[in-house]
Amino acid sequence: MLTLYDRTVSSRLLLGTARYPSPAKLADAVRRSGTEIVTVSLRRETAGGKAGGAFFELIRDLGVHVLPNTAGCHSVSEAVLTAKMAREVFRTNWIKLELIGHHDTLQPDVFQLVEAAKILSDDGFEVFPYTTDDLVVGERLLQAGCKLLMPWCAPIGSAMGPQNVSALKSMRAEFPDIPLIVDAGIGRPSHAAQVMELGYDAVLLNTAVAGAGNPALMAEAFAKAIDAGHLAYQAGPLEPRDMAVPSTPVIGKGVFA
């Protein structure tokens, strides 16, 4: 079981809801994945319209926890306003805080991120910050009131998988008691299993599932990979060795002259 702020869930997969071929395929992927948390981007132009209303009704019918996000925000004021609007629409204090600082890589603006996290935390929000794998930034976010961290492993939508495994390991070691969720850059189920084997608590996906030929099947594949990686971490996997070690004992082996 995984506890995030005041809620406990059994699935360690968080699923995004953007870019699916159709609402039906989105619904199938959510159900097939077993996820209990989905992220939703609040768009001001659709929040009060028919398209937005139908989409939000679909999400509610899925019976999952909603994690609104501030996707597309580039300033503290914009992110804070979007978060407050999301709280009114979805009636939740959860917010995935995204503050983009670089247009090409979509890397978070960590300076504004910390500032916005403090404002929102003081206002009663439970912040899920999309951040880098920088330890200092992570510490500042925790000091700002965040109770978990969501580091990237590669740029959003790149599907490159973990680009700095050492940094991810360091973050896990530095914050052993803080929930850590890898967010952004995962492209294949094997990537998800890899970060879970490092001891991460969950994975947040969107593009890798939504962009697959069969989103529902890919969602199930990711769910199984995440479970496998988590079990492997709990089991204590062998560390790599620089030489061969025989798996069959040689002591007592018969010798023929």
Side-chain angles (χ1 to χ4, degrees):
M1 302 296 283
L2 174 64
T3 300
L4 304 173
Y5 286 101
D6 61 341
R7 300 181 190 179
T8 300
V9 295
S10 57
S11 173
R12 294 176 181 271
L13 168 60
L14 288 70
L15 198 61
T17 56
R19 299 182 179 277
Y20 285 82
S22 70
K25 289 185 180 294
L26 164 61
D28 288 345
V30 170
R31 295 189 184 101
R32 193 84 169 258
S33 72
T35 185
E36 297 164 64
I37 301 173
V38 299
T39 64
V40 175
S41 178
L42 180 69
R43 299 300 184 189
R44 296 173 186 166
E45 65 271 20
T46 62
K50 294 182 179 179
F55 175 74
F56 299 149
E57 183 177 349
L58 168 65
I59 297 300
R60 284 193 293 267
D61 289 345
L62 289 171
V64 292
H65 297 300
V66 175
L67 175 58
N69 67 36
T70 63
C73 291
H74 294 266
S75 70
V76 172
S77 60
E78 187 181 11
V80 170
L81 176 59
T82 301
K84 290 181 177 180
M85 292 172 62
R87 180 161 61 181
E88 292 183 8
V89 171
F90 296 105
R91 301 184 184 280
T92 178
N93 287 325
W94 275 13
I95 192 72
K96 180 189 171 188
L97 182 60
E98 294 184 31
L99 257 167
I100 302 303
H102 192 274
H103 291 285
D104 292 334
T105 64
L106 301 181
Q107 179 171 328
D109 182 331
V110 295
F111 305 101
Q112 293 197 93
L113 181 67
V114 172
E115 182 181 348
K118 180 68 166 64
I119 293 171
L120 292 174
S121 295
D122 289 346
D123 194 29
F125 282 92
E126 296 173 325
V127 180
F128 291 61
Y130 163 58
T131 183
T132 64
D133 52 22
D134 186 283
L135 299 182
V136 176
V137 175
E139 184 63 41
R140 295 293 184 271
L141 287 167
L142 296 177
Q143 292 171 357
C146 299
K147 302 300 182 184
L148 56 83
L149 300 172
M150 301 179 69
W152 69 349
C153 73
I156 293 175
S158 68
M160 293 191 295
Q163 296 298 289
N164 193 340
V165 174
S166 294
L168 292 175
K169 285 183 177 179
S170 295
M171 181 164 272
R172 179 72 283 175
E174 182 71 15
F175 306 114
D177 301 318
I178 300 297
L180 298 180
I181 303 171
V182 168
D183 176 18
I186 296 289
R188 297 176 180 273
S190 57
H191 297 158
Q194 182 181 3
V195 298
M196 293 300 292
E197 287 176 1
L198 299 178
Y200 277 70
D201 297 287
V203 171
L204 196 159
L205 302 164
N206 191 161
T207 307
V209 171
N214 186 327
L217 191 60
M218 186 61 76
E220 182 179 351
F222 269 109
K224 291 180 176 179
I226 288 168
D227 286 343
H230 180 62
L231 286 174
Y233 174 73
Q234 290 183 311
L238 288 174
E239 292 298 321
R241 299 163 174 169
D242 59 2
M243 61 182 297
V245 178
S247 57
T248 302
V250 295
I251 296 178
K253 180 179 179 182
V255 177
F256 298 93

